[in-house]
Amino acid sequence: MTAFFTSHASRLLALLLAVAALSACQDRGDDDTRIVEWRYDFVTYMGYSGSTATFEYLGRGDSAAIVLRASGLDKPGHLATGQRVLLYYTVTGTPSPGVRDVQARYYTSGNVASDSLRVNTKPVEQYAMHPIKLRSLWRTGGYINLRGQVEYTGHPRQLYLMADGATLDGDTVDVYLVHDLMQGQDSTRFWRNCYGSFYVGEAWYKPSCRVMRVHVRDVVRPQATCYDFAK
């Protein structure tokens, strides 16, 4: 599936930050002020049952999965099982020690660029790798996630991770962030927020893989051409 990035996630984050700033402290009219912890995380939508939507949250590295059972959402026809989303929520329950199941309150969610790891079918250098402004790159389980900014062009684009097939069976797997503007650039551009979550498990969980090396063209740190994730 082609990962088309839209401005929806950008608008969503602006909304999240605005609401969080206004609502983090809810004043009851006296000295008792309740602090609410608003969260936004990349999660996987797992389905809907009764009045509860279920999401799977993975912490950094190899943390065990946490199941979020979120109320406050009508049956979401806009979400497909297995879809990665940026979820805005609060935790409403306290799990017992060792229990990886948490009650939550759903507020909204937005799409992120998401795809499974691809493998090149032509030389790597022939793929479009337009630069981005990278803010964060991290792994959660079998996913490589990113937060950054891309130049607005007014057209759909492709954003996905691609492995160099020649390295798939080696101890270091080279992976490239392909950023294809497809229909070119408009004369007037600005930078907008970008979010991506890409499943790389088929390569990462290979016994031979010891390091996954992600190559990114970064405007902010052009000297840092790659980032290593080591087992």
Side-chain angles (χ1 to χ4, degrees):
M1 179 181 70
T2 299
F4 290 105
F5 173 73
T6 71
S7 61
H8 183 76
S10 177
R11 294 194 300 269
L12 173 67
L13 183 61
L15 171 65
L16 305 190
L17 295 177
V19 173
L22 293 173
S23 307
C25 295
Q26 297 184 356
D27 195 348
R28 296 178 178 176
D30 52 27
D31 292 335
D32 182 11
T33 300
R34 180 164 60 96
I35 305 300
V36 178
E37 181 185 0
W38 307 98
R39 294 182 60 96
Y40 62 97
D41 290 306
F42 289 154
V43 298
T44 303
Y45 175 63
M46 304 303 291
Y48 189 87
S49 177
S51 60
T52 302
T54 303
F55 300 89
E56 182 184 66
Y57 166 78
L58 294 170
R60 287 180 180 263
D62 296 303
S63 301
I66 295 175
V67 175
L68 300 173
R69 302 193 184 278
S71 61
L73 174 66
D74 293 334
K75 190 171 183 179
H78 63 290
L79 296 180
T81 301
Q83 181 179 345
R84 295 287 282 174
V85 298
L86 179 64
L87 180 67
Y88 176 46
Y89 68 103
T90 59
V91 173
T92 59
T94 303
S96 303
V99 176
R100 314 294 293 183
D101 200 303
V102 177
Q103 299 298 314
R105 173 73 181 177
Y106 173 98
Y107 287 96
T108 190
S109 60
N111 294 332
V112 300
S114 181
D115 200 1
S116 294
L117 182 66
R118 305 186 189 189
V119 180
N120 62 310
T121 57
K122 57 185 178 182
V124 169
E125 59 272 13
Q126 293 184 17
Y127 286 83
M129 298 179 191
H130 195 78
I132 72 169
K133 288 184 178 180
L134 184 64
R135 302 304 185 189
S136 184
L137 188 72
W138 71 100
R139 181 180 67 85
T140 54
Y143 292 91
I144 296 292
N145 310 289
L146 69 84
R147 180 177 69 87
Q149 292 182 313
V150 296
E151 289 178 285
Y152 176 75
T153 65
H155 301 292
R157 67 187 67 209
Q158 288 184 312
L159 190 70
Y160 59 90
L161 287 182
M162 179 191 69
D164 181 354
T167 68
L168 275 177
D169 294 323
D171 58 2
T172 299
V173 179
D174 285 298
V175 174
Y176 295 82
L177 180 66
V178 176
H179 180 203
D180 189 349
L181 299 182
M182 297 172 62
Q183 298 184 45
Q185 303 179 27
D186 292 341
S187 58
T188 302
R189 302 187 305 275
F190 60 90
W191 293 88
R192 67 179 183 184
N193 290 330
C194 167
Y195 306 91
S197 185
F198 308 103
Y199 184 71
V200 298
E202 291 186 4
W204 175 257
Y205 293 121
K206 279 178 171 282
S208 57
C209 177
R210 307 309 305 166
V211 175
M212 180 164 285
R213 178 164 294 157
V214 182
H215 299 260
V216 181
R217 288 193 62 196
D218 183 12
V219 172
V220 179
R221 292 172 296 275
Q223 71 281 6
T225 58
C226 61
Y227 297 86
D228 285 354
F229 295 90
K231 290 184 178 177

